[in-house]
C-alpha cells in the first residue's frame, strides 16, 4: 500500500536553511529512520576549519569584533561533547559572570559564529569540536541576542539560541509525572510546536530516568546529536529541549547515552506521528483538524450502553478494502456501508503504529500515533468524524498488555528495564515474544492511563476494547511452574495489573462521558464489569468467550449429533448476568486454521448457509451485544487474510454463488434493522428480567425457544430449529402480548427466500390459544423452517 501522509513517507526531506544546526556530515547524511541504534560511547571529536578572518566590506556581521574566550573546565566540556552532561543549559547559552556575560554555542561543523546584540555584532571564539565561546565584558544583564552561523561554503544563517530558553515543563507537570497522575501526559511529553519569548520552535521532552545523557537527533541535524544535548529536570527523570525553528513534519529520535557506555537511538514514546514503516523515526505533528461531530458528542455523553443497542462490525483497516489506501479513502466508503447494513458501531483492530504488519497492529511501537501506513493523525480524525456524522460509533482495539522488543521502541528504553519489569520472569510474554508492562511503576501506569484518555479525547473514539486482559491479570499466564514469580501474598494474580485496569477505567469514565471500555477476558476473574467502587475492574462490557466457544462447538456438529451437545447451546444462560457481555465472532475465530464462520458449519453449501443464517439469528436474539468480523456478513468461504482482505468478489454478478452471499448480507441488514427497532432485544441485556426460557431442553428436536422482554414488558419470542427438517405443528408457549387479541407475527425468519432460504414461514398472524405450554397460559402451533431461527412479535 502507498500511504498518503506526505510528511511520513518522504525519503529526503527539504530542511529550511533557517534551522540547519549542522553542516554536511562526512560521508553524507544517514537515511532518516535507518540510522544505527548503537554507537561508540564517546563520539569522535570534529575539528572544523579555522574561522575565516572578517572580509573587507562584508557588512556588520562580516566585520564583527572577536570576543575574548569564556572558557569552561575541561571535564565539563568532555561531558558535554560526549553527550553525557545532565545540564547542558548550565554551560551553553548566556550566563552572567563577574566579568560580564558569557555566551557559549555548540554548532558542530560551523566555521564561524557571530552573536548580535543591541550593541552590535561580535564574533565568538572556537574552542573545539564545534564549541564557540565569547565574553561580553561589563554586561550586568543578560542581553537579547541572536546568532549568525556560517558553515563551510555558505552564507551566514540567522539562528536563535535554544539554550537561553527556560524549561518548557512547569513544576506542576513534573509533580504530576512523578506521582503518575498526569492524565493529559501527551501535552507535557513528546514534541510540541510552540512559541517561547517570541521565538517559534519545537519543544521536546522525554522520560528517561536511567540515562546519563540524552541528545536530540533528526533530519534537521543530519542525525548527529552533538549540537542538541537535552537537560535533565531533576528527579522527575524527564529530559527536555527547545529547538528554535523546528516545525511540523520534522523527523527525530532521542539519542540515549546509558551508564554502561552504550548509545541508543529511540523513537519518542509519546510521538503523535511517525514515519511510515519500515522507517522508524518520530514526526513532529500539530493538528489542524476542525471537528464537525458536536451533535454526536453531545448525545454520546448521555448514552447508557447497557440499555442501548450495540451491534458492532469489526474490521482491519488496512485490509477491509485493500484498494483503499488511506484513512480518507476509507472514510468515503465505510460509513455508508455500515449505515446500509444497520450496524451501530465499528471496531477497528489496533490503529496505533506498529513495525510489523503481520501483527495486525497488536504489537504496538507508537502508542500515541495512528499508523502512518494510511495517512496522518488528522486523516484518522476525519475518518472518525465522518463515521460519527453517519451515526456510527467508533471502538478501537487497545493493547496495554505488551509491546515488541524492537531496538528503536520501548524495550530497555534508557538502557535499563523501564517500561518492562526488571524481573525477567515477569517481563517476558511467552506467547508472543514480547515484553509486558511494569504496571507497578507509577510513570508506566501513567503512560498507559493517559494513552487511553488520549484516544478518547483527541480522536473522539467512543470505546476501547482492551486486548489480552487475561494475560495481564495472571502472573502464571502461559507459564509453567517455576517460570513465574508469585505476588506478595503468594498468589498468581497480578495485583498491579488489576489496580492499573481499575485506574484506567475509572479515569476514562470520569473524563470521557459516554465512552465504553470492553475487556477481552477469557477467564472467570470475578467482577470484570463491576464498578471499581465495588471492587470490580470497572469495564463496561466483557467479551463472552465462553458463549462463542460453546455455541460454535454445537454448530460444528452434524445435526444428528447435536442433541448430545445441547448443553453447549444453552449453558451460557447459566452465567449470562455475571458480567455485562458482548457476543463476539471476531477475527480470532476466522484465522489460523479455524475456518470462516460459514465453513465451520457441517453439510453441503445449502446447509452451511442455512446454519450460518440460523446462528446469526440466535446470536442477535441472545442477551448481550453482538460483534461480527468483516466478511462474515456475507458468508465468505475462506479464512481472513490480512494481505488480501475479505472476498468481495463473491458478491459480483459474475460469481455463480453471488445471490447466496448477497442473501446472507441482506439478512444481516434485516437483523440489525429489527434489532435496533426492538427494545426487547437490547434494553435489558444485563438483567434477568430481560430473558425467560420457553423451552431450553428440546435436545431431541434440536430446538430452543425463549422470550426477550423490554423494560415495559414488551416481548419478542425467538425459536431456533437447528435440525434440517421442517417441523409442522410445533407447539410453543407464548407470553401475553399486552393487547386484546393474542396474535403474533413473524418479525424475522432466517429461512426467507430473500436471504437464500427455502421460504417456509408462518405467513399469517398466529393466534395464541388458551392451551398451557412451556409454563405459559397460552401457546400456538408453529411451522419451524429447517435450520432456521424465527422471531415472533405481537401482531400490529
Amino acid at each position: 500500500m502507498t500511504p498518503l501522509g506526505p510528511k511520513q513517507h518522504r525519503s529526503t526531506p527539504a530542511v529550511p536553511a533557517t534551522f540547519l544546526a549542522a553542516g554536511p556530515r562526512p560521508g553524507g547524511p544517514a537515511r532518516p529512520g535507518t540510522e544505527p541504534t548503537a554507537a561508540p560511547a564517546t563520539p569522535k571529536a570534529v575539528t572544523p576549519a579555522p574561522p575565516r578572518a572578517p572580509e573587507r566590506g562584508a557588512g556588520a556581521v562580516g566585520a564583527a569584533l572577536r570576543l575574548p574566550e569564556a572558557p569552561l573546565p575541561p571535564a565539563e566540556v568532555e561531558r558535554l561533547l560526549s553527550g553525557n552532561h545532565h545540564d547542558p543549559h548550565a554551560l551553553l547559552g548566556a550566563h552572567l559572570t563577574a566579568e560580564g556575560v558569557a555566551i557559549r554555542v555548540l554548532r558542530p561543523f560551523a566555521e564561524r559564529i557571530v552573536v548580535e546584540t543591541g550593541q552590535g555584532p561580535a564574533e565568538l571564539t572556537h574552542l573545539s569540536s564545534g564549541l564557540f565561546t565569547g565574553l561580553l565584558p561589563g554586561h550586568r544583564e543578560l542581553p537579547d541576542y541572536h546568532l549568525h552561523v556560517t558553515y563551510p561554503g555558505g552564507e551566514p544563517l540567522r539562528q536563535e539560541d535554544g539554550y537561553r530558553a527556560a524549561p518548557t515543563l512547569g513544576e506542576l507537570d513534573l509533580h504530576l509525572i512523578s506521582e503518575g497522575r498526569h492524565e493529559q501526559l501527551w501535552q507535557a511529553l513528546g514534541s510540541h510546536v510552540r512559541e517561547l519569548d517570541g521565538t517559534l520552535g519545537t519543544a521536546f521532552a522525554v522520560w528517561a530516568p536511567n540515562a546519563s545523557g540524552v541528545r536530540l537527533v533528526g533530519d534537521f541535524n543530519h542525525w548527529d546529536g552533538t549540537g542538541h544535548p537535552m537537560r535533565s529536570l531533576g528527579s522527575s527523570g524527564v529530559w527536555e529541549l527547545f529547538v528554535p525553528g523546528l516545525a511540523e513534519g520534522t523527523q527525530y529520535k532521542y539519542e540515549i547515552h546509558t551508564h554502561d557506555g552504550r548509545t541508543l537511538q529511540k523513537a519518542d514514546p509519546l510521538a503523535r506521528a511517525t514515519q511510515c514503516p519500515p522507517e522508524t523515526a518520530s514526526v513532529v505533528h500539530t493538528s489542524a483538524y476542525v471537528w464537525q461531530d458536536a451533535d454526536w458528542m453531545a448525545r454520546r455523553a448521555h448514552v447508557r450502553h447497557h440499555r442501548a443497542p450495540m451491534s458492532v462490525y469489526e474490521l482491519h483497516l488496512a485490509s477491509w478494502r485493500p484498494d483503499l489506501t488511506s484513512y480518507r479513502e476509507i472514510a468515503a466508503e465505510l460509513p455508508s456501508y455500515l449505515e446500509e447494513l444497520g450496524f451501530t458501531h465499528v471496531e477497528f483492530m489496533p490503529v496505533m503504529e506498529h513495525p510489523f504488519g503481520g501483527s495486525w497492529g497488536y504489537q504496538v511501537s507508537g502508542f500515541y500515533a495512528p499508523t502512518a501506513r494510511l495517512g496522518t493523525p488528522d486523516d484518522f480524525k476525519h475518518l472518525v468524524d465522518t463515521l460519527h456524522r453517519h451515526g456510527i460509533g467508533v471502538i478501537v482495539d487497545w493493547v496495554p498488555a505488551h509491546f515488541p522488543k524492537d531496538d528503536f521502541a520501548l524495550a530497555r528504553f534508557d538502557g535499563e528495564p523501564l517500561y518492562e519489569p526488571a524481573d525477567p520472569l515477569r517481563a517476558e510474554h511467552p506467547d508472543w515474544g514480547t515484553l509486558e508492562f511494569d504496571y507497578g511503576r507509577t510513570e508506566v501506569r501513567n503512560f498507559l492511563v493517559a494513552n487511553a484518555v488520549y484516544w478518547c479525547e483527541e480522536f473522539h473514539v467512543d470505546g476501547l476494547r482492551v486486548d489480552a486482559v487475561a494475560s495481564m491479570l495472571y502472573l502464571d499466564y502461559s507459564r509453567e511452574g517455576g517460570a513465574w514469580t508469585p505476588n506478595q501474598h503468594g498468589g498468581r494474580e497480578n495485583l498491579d495489573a488489576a489496580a492499573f485496569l481499575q485506574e484506567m477505567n475509572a479515569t476514562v469514565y470520569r473524563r470521557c462521558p459516554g465512552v465504553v471500555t470492553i475487556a477481552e477476558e477469557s477467564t472467570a476473574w470475578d467482577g470484570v464489569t463491576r464498578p471499581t467502587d465495588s471492587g470490580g475492574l470497572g469495564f463496561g462490557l466483557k467479551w463472552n468467550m465462553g458463549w462463542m466457544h460453546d455455541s460454535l462447538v454445537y454448530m460444528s456438529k452434524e445435526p444428528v449429533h447435536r442433541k448430545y451437545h445441547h448443553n453447549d447451546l444453552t449453558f451460557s444462560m447459566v452465567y449470562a448476568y455475571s458480567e455485562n457481555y458482548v457476543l463476539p465472532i471476531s477475527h480470532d475465530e476466522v484465522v489460523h486454521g479455524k475456518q470462516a464462520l460459514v465453513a465451520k458449519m457441517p453439510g453441503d453449501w445449502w446447509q452451511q448457509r442455512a446454519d450460518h443464517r440460523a446462528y446469526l439469528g440466535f446470536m442477535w436474539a441472545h442477551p448481550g451485544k453482538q460483534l461480527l468480523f468483516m466478511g462474515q456478513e456475507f458468508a465468505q468461504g475462506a479464512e481472513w487474510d490480512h494481505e488480501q482482505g475479505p472476498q468481495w468478489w463473491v458478491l459480483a454478478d459474475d460469481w455463480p454463488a453471488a445471490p447466496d452471499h448477497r442473501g446472507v448480507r441482506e439478512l444481516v441488514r434485516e437483523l440489525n434493522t429489527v434489532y435496533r427497532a426492538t427494545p426487547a432485544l437490547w434494553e435489558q441485556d444485563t438483567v434477568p428480567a430481560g430473558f425467560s426460557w420457553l423451552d431450553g431442553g428440546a435436545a431431541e428436536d434440536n430446538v430452543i425457544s425463549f422470550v426477550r422482554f423490554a423494560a415495559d414488558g414488551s416481548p419478542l419470542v425467538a425459536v431456533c430449529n437447528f435440525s434440517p427438517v421442517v417441523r409442522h405443528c410445533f407447539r410453543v408457549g407464548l407470553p401475553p402480548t399486552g393487547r386484546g387479541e393474542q396474535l403474533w407475527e413473524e418479525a424475522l425468519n432466517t429461512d426467507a427466500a430473500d436471504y437464500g432460504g427455502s421460504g417456509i414461514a408462518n405467513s399469517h398472524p398466529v393466534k395464541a390459544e388458551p392451551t398451557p405450554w412451556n409454563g405459559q397460559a397460552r401457546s400456538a402451533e408453529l411451522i419451524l423452517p429447517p435450520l432456521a431461527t424465527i422471531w415472533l412479535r405481537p401482531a400490529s
Side-chain angles (χ1 to χ4, degrees), residues 54-60 62-63:
E55 298 178 7
R56 295 180 182 273

Side-chain angles (χ1 to χ4, degrees), residues 243 338 577 629:
V243 184
L338 297 174
Y577 306 109
F629 185 61

Side-chain angles (χ1 to χ4, degrees), residues 403-464:
F403 57 91
K405 296 180 179 179
D406 296 66
D407 289 339
F408 73 91
L410 297 181
R412 301 184 72 89
F413 185 79
D414 56 7
E416 303 293 335
L418 185 65
Y419 288 89
E420 67 271 36
D423 181 353
L425 294 181
R426 291 197 179 186
E428 295 283 338
H429 199 298
D431 284 352
W432 301 306
T434 53
L435 295 171
E436 298 184 9
F437 282 99
D438 185 355
Y439 304 108
R441 184 159 191 166
T442 56
E443 298 94 340
V444 174
R445 192 173 65 245
N446 191 179
F447 172 82
L448 293 171
V449 171
N451 186 242
V453 174
Y454 171 77
W455 288 97
C456 298
E457 290 189 353
E458 294 292 321
F459 292 95
H460 290 198
V461 302
D462 307 291
L464 299 171

Side-chain angles (χ1 to χ4, degrees), residues 689-704:
F691 176 92
S692 179
W693 281 114
L694 293 173
D695 190 352
E700 291 292 332
D701 298 320
N702 293 354
V703 172
I704 59 171

Side-chain angles (χ1 to χ4, degrees), residues 46-48 81 105-110 113 126-132:
V46 179
T47 304
L81 296 179
V105 179
L106 185 58
R107 289 290 188 275
F109 315 121
I113 296 180
H126 180 236
L127 294 182
S128 66
S129 301
L131 179 60
F132 292 77

